[in-house]
Amino acid sequence: MTERPRLSAIVIAKNEAADLPDCLASLAFCDEIVVVDSGSTDDTVAIARAAGAVVRVTEDWPGFGLQKQRALDLSTGDFVLSVDADERIPADLADEIRAAIERGDRAGWRINRRSSFLGRFLLHGGWYPDRVLRLARRSAARFSPDLVHERMVVEGAVGDLDRDMIHHSYRSIDEVLDKGRRYALASAAERRSRGKRGGLVIALPRATWAFLRHYVLKAGFLDGAHGFVAALAKAQETFWRWLAVGWEK
């Protein structure tokens, strides 16, 4: 009889006490949960340990890609599932994940995210469907070293799962502004290190295009006021990213 494949879930976190309990509860179907914390000052570490997770606390912050690679390196399962603290794996998706790794006919699988924005699930504007590569055979997976907007890279054939992952992306305007600022500055630093050019003359047209692409071309207007604000937030992040790339430090 073939032994059942083991599945490790990996989560990186910092001050995620509000989100982590529901996230970890949704990962109870996994054989192992690994949480890598980057210096939380709330109960994140205690919550993770109480849930039975393997916990590693790091002193530095190398960026999202390298931090997720640390979590991947700590995992021991045959397959690995990467989940963020603000994401949830519903029971129907958990069943589909188990069935997929037991078949083992792919090196990795993309999972569709259904994301909420200020209390509403968005279905347009590029928000849905949103397929992300998050499940893979551990030996075939690695993470790109990007500071932000990292991605899982898999060697081998990749398939798609049908069920949705739930993503509570932005719950308040404060969170929209805070995340947008942090992501824009991290992304700008990365682009600057690669010799990219920026400044006002580049930032303005890119931000305008980002808004039109998400609100008009990708039909964000069908999500009403939430779609407008989401497109505006994307434009704002784009503007500050490209302005910061070329602005004098």
Side-chain angles (χ1 to χ4, degrees):
M1 182 176 178
T2 304
E3 187 175 345
R4 181 173 179 261
R6 293 184 71 253
L7 174 63
S8 296
I10 59 173
V11 183
I12 65 170
K14 182 177 182 180
N15 294 333
E16 295 286 2
D19 264 325
L20 198 59
D22 287 345
C23 174
L24 297 181
S26 77
L27 298 174
F29 72 99
C30 299
D31 301 291
E32 174 186 63
I33 301 175
V34 175
V35 176
V36 175
D37 180 87
S38 54
S40 290
T41 56
D42 62 7
D43 292 332
T44 294
V45 171
I47 290 168
R49 286 176 174 154
V54 176
V55 179
R56 172 71 59 85
V57 178
T58 65
E59 298 297 328
D60 63 332
W61 171 249
F64 285 93
L66 293 179
Q67 191 77 338
K68 288 190 175 182
Q69 184 62 48
R70 287 171 170 173
L72 177 60
D73 291 340
L74 286 171
S75 66
T76 62
D78 303 295
F79 292 85
V80 63
L81 172 66
S82 176
V83 179
D84 293 337
D86 60 359
E87 295 171 340
R88 313 285 182 264
I89 305 296
D92 58 349
L93 176 57
D95 291 340
E96 189 177 15
I97 288 171
R98 270 293 172 196
I101 66 173
E102 286 175 12
R103 289 194 310 272
D105 58 351
R106 296 287 188 274
W109 293 265
R110 287 176 290 261
I111 299 174
N112 190 55
R113 289 194 300 183
R114 188 167 182 241
S115 298
S116 64
F117 181 89
L118 301 180
R120 175 174 173 173
F121 285 102
L122 300 183
L123 301 178
H124 308 92
W127 284 76
Y128 188 88
D130 175 26
R131 292 202 174 275
V132 287
L133 183 54
R134 294 295 190 83
L135 176 66
R137 191 176 297 277
R138 184 170 58 89
S139 60
R142 62 179 175 83
F143 283 94
S144 66
D146 302 299
L147 292 175
V148 67
H149 302 310
E150 76 295 339
R151 66 194 187 283
M152 180 183 278
V153 180
V154 173
E155 295 181 7
V158 174
D160 293 319
L161 300 184
D162 294 324
R163 305 299 181 181
D164 292 345
M165 172 194 297
I166 301 301
H167 179 210
H168 297 294
S169 61
Y170 298 94
R171 292 186 172 89
S172 67
I173 293 295
D174 180 66
E175 194 172 356
V176 172
L177 295 174
D178 180 59
K179 281 188 177 181
R181 177 187 63 83
R182 289 188 288 111
Y183 290 171
L185 292 178
S187 184
E190 192 168 57
R191 282 167 167 77
R192 194 183 302 115
S193 70
R194 299 202 306 263
K196 296 288 186 178
R197 296 175 59 247
L200 189 61
V201 295
I202 294 176
L204 275 174
R206 283 184 177 268
T208 301
W209 170 241
F211 177 82
L212 292 174
R213 184 160 58 92
H214 288 274
Y215 190 65
V216 179
L217 295 183
K218 295 189 175 183
F221 62 88
L222 293 176
D223 284 318
H226 285 73
F228 178 83
V229 175
L232 193 62
K234 177 61 69 174
Q236 183 184 42
E237 181 185 336
T238 301
F239 175 80
W240 289 116
R241 177 193 307 134
W242 286 102
L243 184 69
V245 168
W247 202 258
E248 184 178 355
K249 292 183 281 184

